[in-house]
Amino acid sequence: MKLFSHRYGYKPVKDVIQIKSMDDELRIKLWNAFTLSYWDNIKYRWTFESTKYGKNSEKCMVLLIKILWHYYYKQPLDALSDNWKSIYNEIRTSFFNCKCNEVYDFIEFIVKTHSDNNINLKFMEFCNDILEQELSAYRFVGGKITQITSETEIAEIEEALEASDSWRPVDIHLKTALDLLLDRKSPDYRNSIKESISAVEAICRIITKNDKATLGACLKSMKKDNKIKIHPALSDAFNKLYGYTSGADGIRHALSDEPDLDFEDAKFMIVSCSGFINYLISKSSKIN
């Protein structure tokens, strides 16, 4: 589970979801993925000369290293050591001392450069598993590192967390949703989605002063009583989201049937629900 500072909002969400930073655990795991996928294909006593009659995997690594030296590190090829261990140490030192964006540059360059597509595909899958586990804002998509979580999305969540501080039921559901989403060891996407929509339901109950009504009933009540003017399309969208999570095959009731959900599903729900909560708080503040 997340530590106290994460659960109760003392550490910003942007510091938990790694956008412009990279902790040691993520960097080490990505290096291990690179080691297992590429380095382990060659022998420790390998030299450039020995690979002339070696395996194809070794010849691919020679080509990869030369391309790395010429195009990525922009170093003279005649200064490249003939000893594998020396080359390995130079690349390793660079990897563990470079900026976080340069780590992503490196692994993307490897995938674009290495000639064995099967190895590259397995490496990208390996990396994506790690990136999800360690809450990176990036994934391999179509062979390129792509940002899947923006600073705007995180700002929406953090604004809702700050605003809901004085709306206790909303605050509890929203923080629980975030805690379940950001648990690196055992994320619970299904229940995170449930808590996100429950946070919206909680604020609607407070606004309508009906602590037993469903979200659908609350939205109808707000429309009928003209307490808060919500665009029909927006109201209908959240009604359908609630229907999805509450239906026979939905999240809230299908506890025995595990839906095929992932980080992106749960993140979409908490960002969407946070935005709607911010919208409702802003609207309600104008009438009360």
Side-chain angles (χ1 to χ4, degrees):
M1 297 295 287
K2 292 258 77 69
L3 298 177
F4 173 86
S5 296
H6 298 162
R7 292 199 309 273
Y8 294 99
Y10 292 99
K11 188 163 186 177
V13 180
K14 64 186 175 186
D15 289 345
V16 183
I17 297 177
Q18 304 188 64
I19 294 184
K20 292 186 176 179
S21 62
M22 177 179 290
D23 62 22
D24 290 342
E25 291 175 349
L26 175 54
R27 191 182 293 254
I28 289 168
K29 284 187 176 182
L30 290 174
W31 175 258
N32 289 343
F34 175 63
T35 299
L36 292 169
S37 301
Y38 298 97
W39 283 133
D40 281 2
N41 286 322
I42 57 179
K43 297 177 181 178
Y44 281 83
R45 295 188 179 277
W46 167 87
T47 63
F48 280 145
E49 188 64 29
S50 70
T51 57
K52 289 182 179 178
Y53 308 101
K55 299 176 182 177
N56 284 334
S57 59
E58 293 177 345
K59 292 176 182 178
C60 286
M61 284 301 294
V62 170
L63 180 60
L64 174 64
I65 289 168
K66 287 183 176 180
I67 293 173
L68 267 173
W69 239 251
H70 179 67
Y71 289 104
Y72 186 77
Y73 294 118
K74 296 179 173 60
Q75 295 296 315
L77 286 171
D78 58 5
L80 178 60
S81 171
D82 186 49
N83 181 270
W84 180 90
K85 192 64 177 177
S86 176
I87 295 168
Y88 172 87
N89 286 337
E90 283 193 57
I91 294 175
R92 189 182 190 281
T93 299
S94 171
F95 186 92
F96 281 99
N97 286 285
C98 68
K99 297 176 182 177
C100 65
N101 60 292
E102 293 172 333
V103 171
Y104 292 121
D105 286 342
F106 179 81
I107 61 175
E108 187 179 275
F109 186 88
I110 293 299
V111 167
K112 288 180 178 178
T113 305
H114 194 260
S115 57
D116 192 322
N117 287 330
N118 289 329
I119 291 176
N120 292 336
L121 287 171
K122 290 177 183 177
F123 175 64
M124 286 188 286
E125 289 175 10
F126 198 170
C127 285
N128 279 347
D129 286 341
I130 292 167
L131 294 169
E132 180 169 337
Q133 290 164 13
E134 298 303 320
L135 302 176
S136 168
Y138 306 93
R139 301 287 187 276
F140 266 112
V141 180
K144 295 180 180 179
I145 295 290
T146 304
Q147 187 170 340
I148 63 160
T149 305
S150 70
E151 291 188 71
T152 304
E153 290 174 325
I154 289 176
E156 201 73 62
I157 297 170
E158 292 191 325
E159 183 184 342
L161 284 169
E162 185 178 345
S164 67
D165 236 5
S166 55
W167 307 64
R168 183 165 172 73
V170 185
D171 193 52
I172 291 171
H173 285 301
L174 205 52
K175 284 178 177 174
T176 302
L178 189 63
D179 191 26
L180 293 167
L181 173 66
L182 301 184
D183 188 337
R184 293 192 188 185
K185 292 185 178 178
S186 183
D188 188 342
Y189 302 130
R190 173 171 50 83
N191 281 314
S192 177
I193 291 173
K194 180 194 77 172
E195 293 294 336
S196 293
I197 202 71
S198 293
V200 173
E201 188 173 60
I203 196 168
C204 288
R205 284 175 173 175
I206 293 169
I207 290 169
T208 59
K209 297 179 181 179
N210 187 343
D211 61 2
K212 295 189 188 226
T214 63
L215 175 58
C218 287
L219 290 171
K220 285 181 183 177
S221 175
M222 281 190 275
K223 182 179 179 181
K224 182 180 177 183
D225 299 339
N226 205 29
K227 289 182 179 178
I228 294 179
K229 291 182 180 179
I230 303 175
H231 192 283
L234 186 58
S235 179
D236 188 47
F238 271 88
N239 232 333
K240 287 180 179 178
L241 269 180
Y242 181 78
Y244 156 66
T245 63
S246 299
D249 297 321
I251 309 299
R252 286 154 66 102
H253 298 305
L255 298 180
S256 58
D257 301 322
E258 187 71 25
D260 185 18
L261 300 166
D262 56 21
F263 177 85
E264 287 72 30
D265 295 308
K267 184 203 71 173
F268 166 79
M269 189 63 79
I270 197 170
V271 170
S272 301
C273 290
S274 293
F276 195 45
I277 287 166
N278 293 332
Y279 169 81
L280 290 174
I281 289 174
S282 177
K283 284 280 191 181
S284 65
S285 68
K286 292 180 180 179
I287 61 171
N288 185 6

